[in-house]
């Protein structure tokens, strides 16, 4: 495991704070997810329900059912898959799983070229800026992880190309990062998740 120093924003002070970027999602991160993320999420879901928000509502978190332990077990030991996590003040603040081997670019000017595919990216629920949630503790975690995916693409010789399918609630975030929305495909994720891709030029701009 390698640790890198990164900076995220402490929302209460509006000041940057140092965090660790780990090139793994280890047992410590999964325990944080299991016992801290889930507890916070369950409280938030109860608050949504108390305010009349249903699972079909637009404000219900679309990643509420994600099981990070299962997601890591699914690719454990497989070549071409890796994970990253952001840790601040000894608590995991965000995680991302990458596929480095099985996806190809779809944009016309880079069609068929290899890219880094973001399988999953999520930040801890106490960092969400969502209706009925408490004010977030930190900001900038998602940007750190996207920057990491782009840098990994350059390191792999993929020239910064990154692709992903986005939950509808995250579309605006990826657009702000410079990703291009290629729309949905009825043969992928039941046609519900739009596919995004970033070009080499946009990747360099983001970095």
């Amino acid at each position: 495991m390698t640790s890198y120093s990164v900076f995220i924003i402490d929302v209460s002070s509006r000041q940057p704070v140092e965090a660790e970027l780990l090139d793994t999602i280890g047992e410590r991160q999964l325990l944080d997810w299991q016992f801290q993320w889930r507890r916070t999420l369950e409280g938030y879901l109860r608050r949504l329900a108390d305010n009349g928000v249903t699972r079909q509502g637009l404000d219900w978190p679309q990643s509420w059912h994600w099981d990070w332990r299962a997601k890591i077990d699914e690719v454990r030991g497989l070549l071409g898959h890796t994970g990253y996590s952001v840790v601040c003040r000894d608590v995991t603040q965000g995680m991302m799983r990458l596929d480095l081997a099985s996806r190809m670019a779809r944009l016309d000017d880079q069609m068929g070229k290899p890219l880094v595919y973001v399988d999953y990216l999520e930040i801890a629920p106490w960092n969400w800026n969502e209706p009925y949630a408490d004010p977030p503790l930190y900001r900038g975690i998602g940007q750190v992880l996207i920057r990491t995916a782009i840098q990994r693409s350059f390191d792999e010789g993929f020239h910064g190309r990154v692709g992903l399918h986005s939950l509808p609630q995250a579309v605006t975030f990826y657009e702000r990062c410079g990703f291009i929305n290629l729309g949905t495909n009825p043969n992928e994720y039941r046609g519900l998740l739009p596919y995004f891709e970033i070009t080499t030029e946009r990747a360099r701009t983001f970095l």
Side-chain angles (χ1 to χ4, degrees):
M1 180 186 71
T2 305
S3 171
Y4 306 90
S5 177
V6 295
F7 287 88
I8 58 179
I9 301 299
D10 182 309
V11 174
S12 62
S13 68
R14 300 184 180 180
Q15 297 298 314
V17 293
E18 189 171 10
E20 289 181 287
L21 173 68
L22 308 180
D23 62 351
T24 188
I25 298 175
E27 182 62 21
R28 174 63 185 274
Q29 283 66 59
L30 296 177
L31 289 173
D32 283 349
W33 165 79
Q34 184 175 351
F35 293 107
Q36 298 193 55
W37 289 35
R38 294 299 300 177
R39 183 173 63 244
T40 301
L41 175 61
E42 288 164 3
Y44 178 54
L45 296 181
R46 285 194 297 270
R47 186 180 301 179
L48 288 178
D50 290 343
N51 283 276
V53 178
T54 67
R55 290 186 183 183
Q56 292 73 38
L58 296 177
D59 291 332
W60 197 268
Q62 293 165 343
S63 63
W64 71 272
H65 61 290
W66 284 10
D67 182 333
W68 274 96
R69 186 172 294 279
K71 293 183 186 308
I72 298 306
D73 287 344
E74 184 179 45
V75 297
R76 193 180 304 278
L78 296 181
L79 296 176
H81 289 83
T82 190
Y84 289 88
S85 51
V86 175
V87 177
C88 186
R89 293 171 179 159
D90 294 323
V91 179
T92 305
Q93 306 293 336
M95 296 186 285
M96 174 178 66
R97 196 185 90 178
L98 299 180
D99 179 349
L100 309 176
S102 66
R103 305 285 186 137
M104 297 295 173
R106 303 182 187 182
L107 283 170
D108 288 342
D109 59 349
Q110 55 191 37
M111 178 79 71
K113 295 179 179 179
L115 53 65
V116 167
Y117 182 82
V118 180
D119 280 325
Y120 301 99
L121 187 157
E122 189 175 26
I123 63 173
W126 51 78
N127 296 318
W128 293 355
N129 184 20
E130 298 294 341
Y132 306 109
D134 292 330
L137 296 183
Y138 302 107
R139 297 184 64 181
I141 301 154
Q143 288 91 335
V144 167
L145 291 170
I146 287 297
R147 186 170 72 239
T148 301
I150 290 172
Q151 187 59 58
R152 184 62 186 263
S153 176
F154 279 112
D155 294 344
E156 294 289 327
F158 300 164
H159 303 284
R161 295 185 297 268
V162 175
L164 57 91
H165 284 85
S166 172
L167 294 173
Q169 289 170 337
V171 162
T172 301
F173 167 73
Y174 292 116
E175 289 175 342
R176 288 201 308 265
C177 291
F179 282 76
I180 298 169
N181 189 341
L182 277 68
T184 59
N185 183 327
N187 297 318
E188 296 176 330
Y189 302 101
R190 296 181 294 166
L192 298 176
L193 304 186
Y195 176 75
F196 283 80
E197 205 166 284
I198 195 167
T199 64
T200 299
E201 293 74 18
R202 287 178 176 233
R204 288 199 179 105
T205 298
F206 184 83
L207 292 182

